[in-house]
Amino acid sequence: MSTLPAAEVVKGEANGLYGEGKLAEALEKYSEALKMLPEVDPDDEEEFAELRSSKPDETKLRTVLLANRAQCHLQMGKAVPEGIESKEARGHFMKANMDAAFAAELSPDYAKAHYRKGLALLGMPDTQQRSKEATMALKAALACKDASDAMRKEIGEVLKYADERRFEGVDMPENCVVS
């Protein structure tokens, strides 16, 4: 029996928890749903290619679960009382980056994966290299056909910040939100 329907049910529960603002619980549910899917080695490009071509439904579900879990980490990192420079926040941004990068590798045409990777990189301590990688991820998001006009506008604002940050210390604009 396929594990996809069961994982979809758990994903729905996670989405509901996220909508209620229960980020830690949603994160756990996304992780639970991912564990229901067959294991995939994120470093095995041949396995990725096989998965993309032979199991598109599983690939899409895994991609969305990873991107949604990354979103939970982004929100949790942003909400740490000690601020985004704290060790706890950095841990969330690093985990968001890992999940979003994995999702972007699985589904290169999924804008949210690239966007969340860019946001995660910008949430980490500032280095010119991270800002450059964030810029590349944000540009990849803009190149995806599934990005809505509203998302493109938001990505454009964050991209401007990432470009500025590459060359000088600039505070992120207040109206740039993690979404």
Side-chain angles (χ1 to χ4, degrees), residues 69-146:
R69 189 168 71 176
Q71 179 65 11
C72 287
H73 278 297
L74 286 168
Q75 293 291 339
M76 292 169 76
K78 184 179 169 191
V80 171
E82 296 79 24
I84 64 168
E85 298 294 324
S86 71
K87 184 177 180 180
E88 181 183 353
R90 283 193 315 266
H92 283 296
F93 291 127
M94 289 172 62
K95 289 175 183 176
N97 181 46
M98 290 187 310
D99 280 348
F102 190 5
E105 286 180 52
L106 276 172
S107 297
D109 295 330
Y110 188 54
K112 285 183 180 181
H114 294 288
Y115 183 36
R116 291 173 183 168
K117 178 181 177 181
L119 291 172
L121 289 162
L122 292 172
M124 292 185 215
D126 189 14
T127 66
Q128 193 174 30
Q129 182 61 35
R130 278 200 191 107
S131 294
K132 180 180 178 181
E133 289 175 24
T135 298
M136 291 169 47
L138 295 167
K139 286 180 178 179
L142 286 173
C144 294
K145 293 177 183 169
D146 69 336

Side-chain angles (χ1 to χ4, degrees), residues 9 21 44 60 104 106 130 143:
V9 168
D44 188 340
K60 181 179 179 183
L106 276 172
R130 278 200 191 107

Side-chain angles (χ1 to χ4, degrees), residues 7-167:
E8 285 281 2
V9 168
V10 176
K11 179 187 116 186
E13 293 169 7
N15 289 346
L17 290 165
Y18 181 85
E20 295 171 13
K22 297 177 180 176
L23 300 175
E25 294 92 338
L27 189 141
E28 288 301 317
K29 284 290 185 180
Y30 289 127
S31 295
E32 180 183 328
L34 281 162
K35 288 177 186 172
M36 298 172 127
L37 301 176
E39 203 168 311
V40 175
D41 180 356
D43 297 321
D44 188 340
E45 186 55 43
E46 287 181 26
E47 188 175 8
F48 271 26
E50 172 67 24
L51 184 64
R52 281 192 291 261
S53 66
S54 67
K55 298 178 181 175
D57 292 340
E58 181 183 319
T59 300
K60 181 179 179 183
L61 177 58
R62 186 183 310 275
T63 299
V64 170
L65 290 169
L66 286 163
N68 288 0
R69 189 168 71 176
Q71 179 65 11
C72 287
H73 278 297
L74 286 168
Q75 293 291 339
M76 292 169 76
K78 184 179 169 191
V80 171
E82 296 79 24
I84 64 168
E85 298 294 324
S86 71
K87 184 177 180 180
E88 181 183 353
R90 283 193 315 266
H92 283 296
F93 291 127
M94 289 172 62
K95 289 175 183 176
N97 181 46
M98 290 187 310
D99 280 348
F102 190 5
E105 286 180 52
L106 276 172
S107 297
D109 295 330
Y110 188 54
K112 285 183 180 181
H114 294 288
Y115 183 36
R116 291 173 183 168
K117 178 181 177 181
L119 291 172
L121 289 162
L122 292 172
M124 292 185 215
D126 189 14
T127 66
Q128 193 174 30
Q129 182 61 35
R130 278 200 191 107
S131 294
K132 180 180 178 181
E133 289 175 24
T135 298
M136 291 169 47
L138 295 167
K139 286 180 178 179
L142 286 173
C144 294
K145 293 177 183 169
D146 69 336
S148 68
D149 289 341
M151 184 182 206
R152 286 179 190 286
K153 182 179 178 191
E154 189 175 315
I155 293 168
E157 291 174 18
V158 177
L159 181 58
K160 181 180 175 189
Y161 162 73
D163 280 339
E164 290 173 1
R165 185 173 129 167
R166 277 179 70 185
F167 303 107

